[in-house]
Amino acid sequence: DAKTTQPNSMESNEEEPVHLPCNHSTISGTDYIHWYRQLPSQGPEYVIHGLTSNVNNRMASLAIAEDRKSSTLILHRATLRDAAVYYCILSGGGSSNTGKLIFGQGTTLQVKP
Amino acid sequence: DAGVIQSPRHEVTEMGQEVTLRCKPISGHDYLFWYRQTMMRGLELLIYFNNNVPIDDSGMPEDRFSAKMPNASFSTLKIQPSEPRDSAVYFCASSYTRNTEAFFGQGTRLTVV
């Protein structure tokens, strides 16, 4: 399984944008990029995913580098409720697609009032 | 749909006892995953099923662990005999197909004393 690298922790101020980076230099052409987050004492929660193009949804935006070796999760206005561990995960596509999600250590986001 | 339902939410058992964790996936989802989370090891994928068939159980730590999915609406994870090092939060998740959003249950917090 291709590996991702994320910073261990980040801080943000409330109501400011947050850019969470993820490096995945060994990504294959058919790997999807998924982001999940885990709030304290809860199960992981889906945030967004994409393949090549940038993606937007009500929670966040996903910016994917042109060479796909990195991506950035963008929270447009952080709230205290966004304090969580954010996981960047690659899930294989194509004929080798297993559909399984392998979680790394993630980035712990702290949001300050 | 009520989401992925896990039971029990908390389980305290004595070393050597058999423990059975239960999961009801979201109706219509073809994939079911079992994860374990500890502070030391983070979120680990134990096993996953596709259309009730186990696809990859390479994450199951040892023979004391077993998982079944007798039908599309029910899965169990059994530990026999249980040991203190099995203490963790166990999550079940389901998804409609590959590379779609996975929904996680609230988890079962297992404590083996």
Side-chain angles (χ1 to χ4, degrees), chain B residues 45-101:
Chain B
L45 176 64
L46 300 177
I47 185 172
Y48 77 101
F49 296 81
N50 177 214
N51 291 323
N52 312 338
V53 177
I55 302 300
D56 185 346
D57 65 354
S58 59
M60 298 284 262
E62 35 193 292
D63 291 345
R64 297 184 297 106
F65 286 69
S66 62
K68 294 182 180 180
M69 193 164 185
N71 58 61
S73 60
F74 184 65
S75 177
T76 59
L77 178 68
K78 185 179 293 186
I79 308 172
Q80 166 64 18
S82 58
E83 296 182 3
R85 59 194 168 116
D86 302 331
S87 298
V89 181
Y90 291 80
F91 289 104
C92 175
S94 71
S95 66
Y96 176 61
T97 185
R98 297 177 297 188
N99 288 312
T100 57
E101 178 180 358

Side-chain angles (χ1 to χ4, degrees), chain A residues 30 32 34 36 38 41-46 49 87 91-105, chain B residues 9 31 33 35 37 39-43 45 48 55-56 58 91 95 98-107 109:
Chain A
T30 54
Y32 283 78
H34 299 254
Y36 282 75
Q38 187 172 21
S41 301
Q42 295 191 25
E45 173 187 38
Y46 169 84
H49 80 287
Y87 298 96
S91 180
S95 60
S96 66
N97 186 355
T98 62
K100 63 183 182 182
L101 301 172
I102 305 298
F103 287 76
Q105 293 305 306
Chain B
R9 291 292 309 278
Y31 283 80
F33 307 85
Y35 287 87
Q37 186 170 35
M39 288 293 293
M40 291 295 294
R41 300 175 69 89
L43 265 165
L45 176 64
Y48 77 101
I55 302 300
D56 185 346
S58 59
F91 289 104
S95 66
R98 297 177 297 188
N99 288 312
T100 57
E101 178 180 358
F103 293 83
F104 284 74
Q106 290 296 303
R109 181 173 295 277

Side-chain angles (χ1 to χ4, degrees), chain A residues 13-107:
Chain A
N13 294 317
E14 196 176 11
E15 299 193 3
E16 291 185 357
V18 182
H19 291 232
L20 296 163
C22 181
N23 287 320
H24 29 78
S25 58
T26 59
I27 191 171
S28 74
T30 54
D31 282 339
Y32 283 78
I33 303 159
H34 299 254
W35 284 83
Y36 282 75
R37 72 180 185 180
Q38 187 172 21
L39 302 171
S41 301
Q42 295 191 25
E45 173 187 38
Y46 169 84
V47 178
I48 201 166
H49 80 287
L51 183 61
T52 56
S53 303
N54 295 342
V55 184
N56 300 293
N57 66 22
R58 63 176 178 81
M59 288 182 70
S61 295
L62 176 60
I64 301 172
E66 195 168 335
D67 64 5
R68 301 205 330 122
K69 294 184 185 297
S70 65
S71 61
T72 302
L73 178 70
I74 302 166
L75 307 179
H76 296 285
R77 285 179 73 243
T79 68
L80 297 178
R81 194 191 171 279
D82 291 322
V85 180
Y86 287 79
Y87 298 96
C88 171
I89 303 163
L90 300 183
S91 180
S95 60
S96 66
N97 186 355
T98 62
K100 63 183 182 182
L101 301 172
I102 305 298
F103 287 76
Q105 293 305 306
T107 297

